[in-house]
Tab-separated table of all heavy atoms in Angstrom:
chain	number	residue	atom	x	y	z
B	892	ASP	N	-38.817	-25.240	-27.130
B	892	ASP	CA	-37.860	-26.127	-27.787
B	892	ASP	C	-36.407	-25.892	-27.399
B	892	ASP	O	-35.541	-26.695	-27.734
B	892	ASP	CB	-37.978	-25.958	-29.307
B	892	ASP	CG	-39.425	-26.173	-29.765
B	892	ASP	OD1	-40.029	-27.137	-29.309
B	892	ASP	OD2	-39.920	-25.351	-30.564
B	893	GLY	N	-36.128	-24.801	-26.716
B	893	GLY	CA	-34.729	-24.412	-26.582
B	893	GLY	C	-33.992	-25.004	-25.394
B	893	GLY	O	-32.799	-24.764	-25.243
B	894	TYR	N	-34.653	-25.765	-24.537
B	894	TYR	CA	-33.996	-26.243	-23.328
B	894	TYR	C	-33.755	-27.754	-23.357
B	894	TYR	O	-34.659	-28.517	-23.744
B	894	TYR	CB	-34.830	-25.895	-22.105
B	894	TYR	CG	-34.921	-24.412	-21.791
B	894	TYR	CD1	-36.099	-23.692	-22.004
B	894	TYR	CD2	-33.826	-23.728	-21.291
B	894	TYR	CE1	-36.179	-22.328	-21.698
B	894	TYR	CE2	-33.899	-22.376	-20.976
B	894	TYR	CZ	-35.076	-21.681	-21.193
B	894	TYR	OH	-35.149	-20.338	-20.896
B	895	ALA	N	-32.589	-28.178	-22.930
B	895	ALA	CA	-32.284	-29.618	-22.855
B	895	ALA	C	-33.228	-30.324	-21.882
B	895	ALA	O	-33.557	-31.499	-22.060
B	895	ALA	CB	-30.827	-29.813	-22.428
B	896	HIS	N	-33.644	-29.633	-20.825
B	896	HIS	CA	-34.555	-30.228	-19.827
B	896	HIS	C	-35.846	-30.737	-20.466
B	896	HIS	O	-36.472	-31.661	-19.959
B	896	HIS	CB	-34.861	-29.182	-18.749
B	896	HIS	CG	-35.718	-29.668	-17.620
B	896	HIS	ND1	-35.455	-30.842	-16.921
B	896	HIS	CD2	-36.831	-29.143	-17.038
B	896	HIS	CE1	-36.387	-31.005	-15.967
B	896	HIS	NE2	-37.220	-30.001	-16.022
B	897	HIS	N	-36.233	-30.143	-21.588
B	897	HIS	CA	-37.518	-30.499	-22.192
B	897	HIS	C	-37.486	-31.839	-22.926
B	897	HIS	O	-38.527	-32.392	-23.251
B	897	HIS	CB	-38.002	-29.365	-23.104
B	897	HIS	CG	-38.300	-28.103	-22.338
B	897	HIS	ND1	-38.651	-26.924	-22.917
B	897	HIS	CD2	-38.283	-27.866	-20.995
B	897	HIS	CE1	-38.834	-25.995	-21.985
B	897	HIS	NE2	-38.606	-26.538	-20.813
B	898	ARG	N	-36.278	-32.366	-23.144
B	898	ARG	CA	-36.174	-33.735	-23.711
B	898	ARG	C	-36.766	-34.789	-22.795
B	898	ARG	O	-37.069	-35.888	-23.207
B	898	ARG	CB	-34.692	-34.088	-23.956
B	898	ARG	CG	-34.106	-33.346	-25.118
B	898	ARG	CD	-32.673	-33.831	-25.371
B	898	ARG	NE	-31.827	-32.716	-25.720
B	898	ARG	CZ	-30.610	-32.483	-25.217
B	898	ARG	NH1	-30.096	-33.322	-24.320
B	898	ARG	NH2	-29.922	-31.435	-25.606
B	899	THR	N	-36.912	-34.429	-21.485
B	899	THR	CA	-37.522	-35.381	-20.540
B	899	THR	C	-39.053	-35.359	-20.640
B	899	THR	O	-39.709	-36.113	-19.927
B	899	THR	CB	-37.181	-34.984	-19.092
B	899	THR	OG1	-37.754	-33.676	-18.838
B	899	THR	CG2	-35.682	-34.930	-18.851
B	900	GLY	N	-39.605	-34.467	-21.488
B	900	GLY	CA	-41.062	-34.315	-21.540
B	900	GLY	C	-41.544	-33.132	-20.738
B	900	GLY	O	-42.711	-32.735	-20.852
B	901	GLU	N	-40.679	-32.535	-19.920
B	901	GLU	CA	-41.053	-31.343	-19.161
B	901	GLU	C	-41.110	-30.113	-20.070
B	901	GLU	O	-40.534	-30.131	-21.181
B	901	GLU	CB	-40.026	-31.098	-18.052
B	901	GLU	CG	-40.036	-32.123	-16.946
B	901	GLU	CD	-41.221	-31.953	-16.022
B	901	GLU	OE1	-41.942	-30.937	-16.142
B	901	GLU	OE2	-41.434	-32.830	-15.167
B	902	ASP	N	-41.776	-29.054	-19.627
B	902	ASP	CA	-41.795	-27.806	-20.409
B	902	ASP	C	-41.521	-26.591	-19.530
B	902	ASP	O	-41.944	-25.483	-19.879
B	902	ASP	CB	-43.138	-27.678	-21.126
B	902	ASP	CG	-44.298	-27.527	-20.120
B	902	ASP	OD1	-44.055	-27.609	-18.902
B	902	ASP	OD2	-45.431	-27.333	-20.580
B	903	ASN	N	-40.840	-26.804	-18.400
B	903	ASN	CA	-40.728	-25.732	-17.405
B	903	ASN	C	-39.301	-25.366	-17.033
B	903	ASN	O	-39.064	-24.899	-15.909
B	903	ASN	CB	-41.527	-26.108	-16.163
B	903	ASN	CG	-41.013	-27.412	-15.543
B	903	ASN	OD1	-40.028	-27.984	-16.027
B	903	ASN	ND2	-41.664	-27.857	-14.494
B	904	ALA	N	-38.339	-25.574	-17.946
B	904	ALA	CA	-36.945	-25.227	-17.615
B	904	ALA	C	-36.822	-23.763	-17.208
B	904	ALA	O	-36.099	-23.420	-16.270
B	904	ALA	CB	-36.030	-25.510	-18.809
B	905	ASP	N	-37.569	-22.882	-17.922
B	905	ASP	CA	-37.516	-21.455	-17.565
B	905	ASP	C	-37.872	-21.238	-16.074
B	905	ASP	O	-37.279	-20.410	-15.413
B	905	ASP	CB	-38.469	-20.642	-18.447
B	905	ASP	CG	-39.914	-21.096	-18.304
B	905	ASP	OD1	-40.191	-22.315	-18.424
B	905	ASP	OD2	-40.794	-20.247	-18.056
Side-chain angles (χ1 to χ4, degrees):
Chain B
D892 306 315
Y894 291 109
H896 183 50
H897 295 175
R898 287 185 220 134
T899 63
E901 291 285 352
D902 64 357
N903 59 2
D905 61 309

